Amino acid sequence: MGGTSGQGRQAGGTPRAALADLLAGNRRFVSGQPVHGHDVTAAAAASGDQQPYAVVLGCIDSRVPLEAIFDQTFGAICVIRTGGHVLDRAVCGSIEYVVGQLGVPLVMVLGHERCGAVGAAVDALRTGQRPGGSLAYLVDEIAPAVTEAGIDDPAVHPLAIRRHVRRTVHTLREDDLLAGPVAAGRVAVVGGLYDLATGEVALLDPG
Ligand SMILES: [Zn+2]
């Protein structure tokens, strides 16, 4: 893709280059000038090999399609989405595979404003009513971020969204198979926040 894809696309690229590529894609998306928007065709899908340079873990929210908001073509990024980007073994195993087997140097955890999954955890803690079924698992996994943010804080929802991203980043950095590459600097795990109003992705400091 010529000048639109940088060093992060090369095998063995650095986390820094991968992050620069990802954020450059978001800037193209925000500016209304995506270069891959027209590539959403079967022909484009069949045209290339897989050489992903990043894996993005995001929420299932229908307003946050990850390939689109980073203006990425087929084969460029691996995407995992769960409610409130909650981790489980399948998610961690998938990230371990992408990092360990495909050599991807960057993992981004992307939260977003007005996240309904985080809202459900806030509601559950406020009312004391834990949902049934497997939804309880999502709420339980997000609840510590809500507690840290402070259930009585008027801004608990946006604060908990940020806390939850940071907690997810920390958990992944300590993952059995990720901790070594992270400590060696071969892999970076970063947190980001998507603004539904502007389309911008902002990096969150580790906090
Ligand atoms: Zn969400």
Side-chain angles (χ1 to χ4, degrees), residues 34-87:
V35 298
H36 296 301
H38 62 284
D39 274 347
V40 186
T41 61
S47 66
D49 291 331
Q50 165 165 250
Q51 194 179 16
Y53 69 92
V55 53
V56 183
L57 169 61
C59 182
I60 57 167
D61 193 295
S62 60
R63 298 166 294 184
V64 194
L66 299 177
E67 288 92 343
I69 68 169
F70 287 111
D71 186 29
Q72 300 296 310
T73 190
F74 296 91
I77 63 172
C78 294
V79 161
I80 302 168
R81 297 174 67 175
T82 64
H85 57 76
V86 164
L87 297 172

Side-chain angles (χ1 to χ4, degrees), residues 5-15 17-18 21 50-54 75-76 98-99 101-106 186:
S5 36
Q7 295 176 346
R9 294 296 304 277
Q10 298 168 3
T14 65
D21 274 13
Q50 165 165 250
Q51 194 179 16
Y53 69 92
V98 170
V99 169
Q101 303 299 313
L102 302 182
V104 165
L106 179 68
R186 292 197 305 275

Side-chain angles (χ1 to χ4, degrees), residues 12-173:
T14 65
R16 181 186 298 265
L19 183 58
D21 274 13
L22 206 52
L23 294 178
N26 180 244
R27 285 195 294 274
R28 294 195 301 273
F29 169 75
V30 170
S31 70
Q33 297 179 313
V35 298
H36 296 301
H38 62 284
D39 274 347
V40 186
T41 61
S47 66
D49 291 331
Q50 165 165 250
Q51 194 179 16
Y53 69 92
V55 53
V56 183
L57 169 61
C59 182
I60 57 167
D61 193 295
S62 60
R63 298 166 294 184
V64 194
L66 299 177
E67 288 92 343
I69 68 169
F70 287 111
D71 186 29
Q72 300 296 310
T73 190
F74 296 91
I77 63 172
C78 294
V79 161
I80 302 168
R81 297 174 67 175
T82 64
H85 57 76
V86 164
L87 297 172
D88 64 12
R89 290 190 69 196
V91 171
C92 291
S94 300
I95 295 173
E96 290 169 1
Y97 171 78
V98 170
V99 169
Q101 303 299 313
L102 302 182
V104 165
L106 179 68
V107 181
M108 177 181 280
V109 177
L110 187 67
H112 68 96
E113 303 288 7
R114 292 185 273 153
C115 181
V118 175
V122 171
D123 289 345
L125 287 181
R126 274 200 179 130
T127 63
Q129 294 188 321
R130 189 166 171 268
S134 295
L135 182 54
Y137 176 77
L138 290 188
V139 164
D140 289 349
E141 290 296 300
I142 298 171
V146 177
T147 301
E148 284 180 13
I151 190 65
D152 295 325
D153 193 312
V156 61
H157 192 186
L159 289 173
I161 287 169
R162 288 157 176 77
R163 287 269 183 180
H164 181 51
V165 170
R166 291 187 173 107
R167 288 178 59 89
T168 308
V169 167
H170 283 301
T171 300
L172 286 173
R173 284 177 180 168

